[in-house]
Amino acid sequence: MEHVVTTKEQLAPVGRRLVRPARRDWLFAVGVGLASVPLAFVAQGSDAHTPDVTGWTLFGLSALTLAWRRHYPMGVLLALIVVEGTYHSLGNAHSGLIAVTMVAIYSLAVAGPRRRTLAVVPTLLALSVIMLTTINPDRGIELLRISGWILACAITGEAVRVHRNYIGAIVERAERAERTREEEARRRVAEERLRIARDLHDLLAHSITLIGVQTSVAAHVLATDPERLDRETVAKALEDIAETCRSARGELRTTLEVLREQGAVGDVRGPLPGLDGLADLVETARQTGARVERTVRVREAPPAVGAAAYRIVQEALTNAVRHAGPEPVISVEVYEEKGALRLSVTDDGTGPVAGSEGAGFGLVGMRERARSVGGTLDAGPRPEGGFAVTAVLPLTTVLERAV
């Protein structure tokens, strides 16, 4: 609502200026007229006289037309042609309105465009010289002699217009650059928040799935033979649940700290998990009863690629633990080949069932992870049974490949 009021306040003066000129325009027109009055007395020719009442009236009207010079420069010049033509035809002092004419020509050139100035000013000057030469050759020659000053006014106005346009272009570029920086900062913040949201999704989905499986193990032990309770197995299952909760809580705390720092600083990157954390993921999956084999043959990977590989493996293990059945056999293989990091996570279970809870979202997230670093990902059932997730992630960034 405040913005609408401000806009109306800004538009109101503009509308009034279109109806009548501003006060400073009136003051300027009156000032030029008063400054030109002495010329009507001291600069008289043999065929001119001091203006009479009609002459002074036309003199005043010529000066007052300058009040509209900024809004209607061409209209002012045309009005001056009519009024000054009448003024000069009555034999009034011809030099009295020189300043008014030059100001009108200057205003026309400042307003632009250049083509109009180049067409109008020389044409009017040529017509004026021809008309005066026909009526009074001496006056035509005198106008031709001072035509350089008239052209100088037009050239000065054109120079001022070019300078103003140049300054305006600089200001516009500066404002555009500032807007671009702000948009880029907002884009980076949005991308970082999206990355953190994906991390939170992967973390919570992984942790909750493991806790669910571990809880099911403990419940199974308790329900199978309550009289011969295996306390050691139950204690281990509960300890695994506690460890999973501690790990998830620690990573969640780290992510939330990054969000707080972003709110204070504005450009802070959160910690990126990497290939070093694969061992912890495998060990956590083993705690659920899965038999996991891990093979990692990668010397070094960029942080973004390592983070993408970590999250893909994490989500693939989560899906395998959730959908592959009891005690699945899972194989995790990460290796480097032809300048790319290749990974595969396979299991011998049934894989995700269409329509089950959360089905499809994990696969979409993994594909987005792969695409974020310029890679590809495939996921689907294996011919021999089970489910497989394979990905190819380039080890060089787009900028490095361009160089």
Side-chain angles (χ1 to χ4, degrees):
M1 188 65 181
E2 182 180 356
H3 174 72
V4 175
V5 173
T6 303
T7 303
K8 290 182 178 179
E9 292 175 352
Q10 293 175 348
L11 291 178
V14 176
R16 287 195 294 268
R17 284 198 298 269
L18 293 177
V19 176
R20 62 178 185 273
R23 179 180 302 176
R24 62 176 181 176
D25 292 329
W26 285 112
L27 294 177
F28 178 82
V30 172
V32 173
L34 293 177
S36 301
V37 168
L39 296 177
F41 291 98
V42 301
Q44 299 181 20
S46 58
D47 60 338
H49 57 78
T50 302
D52 52 15
V53 176
T54 303
W56 283 119
T57 302
L58 295 173
F59 183 95
L61 289 176
S62 299
L64 292 178
T65 56
L66 295 180
W68 283 272
R69 75 193 188 284
R70 291 193 299 119
H71 304 294
Y72 309 102
M74 190 64 193
V76 168
L77 188 60
L78 294 176
L80 283 177
I81 293 175
V82 176
V83 178
E84 287 190 17
T86 306
Y87 173 88
H88 291 300
S89 66
L90 295 177
N92 296 295
H94 299 297
S95 301
L97 294 176
I98 289 179
V100 174
T101 304
M102 289 187 173
V103 170
I105 293 174
Y106 169 84
S107 301
L108 180 71
V110 168
R114 181 180 302 172
R115 292 182 178 179
R116 183 178 68 181
T117 303
L118 294 177
V120 172
V121 175
T123 301
L124 289 179
L125 184 59
L127 292 176
S128 299
V129 171
I130 293 173
M131 291 175 60
L132 285 178
T133 302
T134 303
I135 299 173
N136 188 333
D138 293 336
R139 298 302 301 174
I141 294 175
E142 182 180 355
L143 178 61
L144 185 61
R145 180 175 56 82
I146 66 173
S147 61
W149 290 102
I150 297 176
L151 294 176
C153 289
I155 294 173
T156 302
E158 177 64 22
V160 171
R161 185 185 68 82
V162 171
H163 178 71
R164 288 178 179 176
N165 291 342
Y166 175 73
I167 297 300
I170 293 177
V171 173
E172 182 181 0
R173 285 197 297 268
E175 293 176 351
R176 187 184 305 116
E178 182 65 23
R179 289 194 299 268
T180 301
R181 284 194 295 269
E182 293 176 356
E183 292 172 359
E184 178 66 16
R186 287 194 295 268
R187 184 186 65 81
R188 290 182 178 179
V189 170
E191 289 180 351
E192 178 64 5
R193 290 186 180 276
L194 178 60
R195 184 190 71 82
I196 293 176
R198 289 173 178 169
D199 288 347
L200 287 175
H201 167 270
D202 295 343
L203 167 65
L204 295 177
H206 181 71
S207 301
I208 292 173
T209 298
L210 295 181
I211 291 173
V213 173
Q214 292 161 348
T215 304
S216 298
V217 171
H220 176 73
V221 172
L222 290 174
T224 301
D225 192 353
E227 296 181 358
R228 299 176 57 187
L229 181 62
D230 190 346
R231 297 180 180 274
E232 183 178 352
T233 303
V234 174
K236 184 178 183 305
L238 295 177
E239 179 60 29
D240 291 342
I241 293 173
E243 179 61 29
T244 301
C245 291
R246 284 192 294 268
S247 177
R249 187 169 58 249
E251 191 169 349
L252 182 61
R253 183 186 300 111
T254 302
T255 303
L256 294 178
E257 288 175 355
V258 171
L259 288 176
R260 294 191 188 99
E261 291 175 356
Q262 280 187 329
V265 179
D267 189 17
V268 179
R269 294 289 298 178
L272 294 175
L275 298 178
D276 295 339
L278 295 181
D280 295 334
L281 292 178
V282 170
E283 183 60 29
T284 304
R286 287 172 179 169
Q287 293 175 1
T288 65
R291 290 173 290 174
V292 186
E293 299 177 358
R294 176 176 61 94
T295 303
V296 179
R297 299 192 305 273
V298 178
R299 291 173 298 179
E300 186 178 2
V305 176
Y310 177 91
R311 293 304 184 188
I312 291 173
V313 172
Q314 183 183 50
E315 183 65 25
L317 287 175
T318 301
N319 289 339
V321 170
R322 181 188 299 173
H323 302 291
E327 298 185 353
V329 177
I330 306 173
S331 174
V332 178
E333 188 174 6
V334 181
Y335 60 96
E336 181 180 351
E337 182 180 83
K338 297 180 180 180
L341 185 148
R342 299 175 180 269
L343 66 87
S344 65
V345 180
T346 60
D347 62 67
D348 60 351
T350 58
V353 178
S356 61
E357 182 181 357
F361 293 104
L363 299 180
V364 171
M366 287 190 287
R367 289 192 176 94
E368 290 179 350
R369 294 281 186 183
R371 283 197 299 266
S372 68
V373 293
T376 59
L377 183 139
D378 294 320
R382 297 192 302 164
E384 63 272 23
F387 199 81
V389 175
T390 59
V392 179
L393 311 178
L395 291 174
T396 56
T397 62
V398 175
L399 179 61
E400 291 172 345
R401 291 197 296 271
V403 175

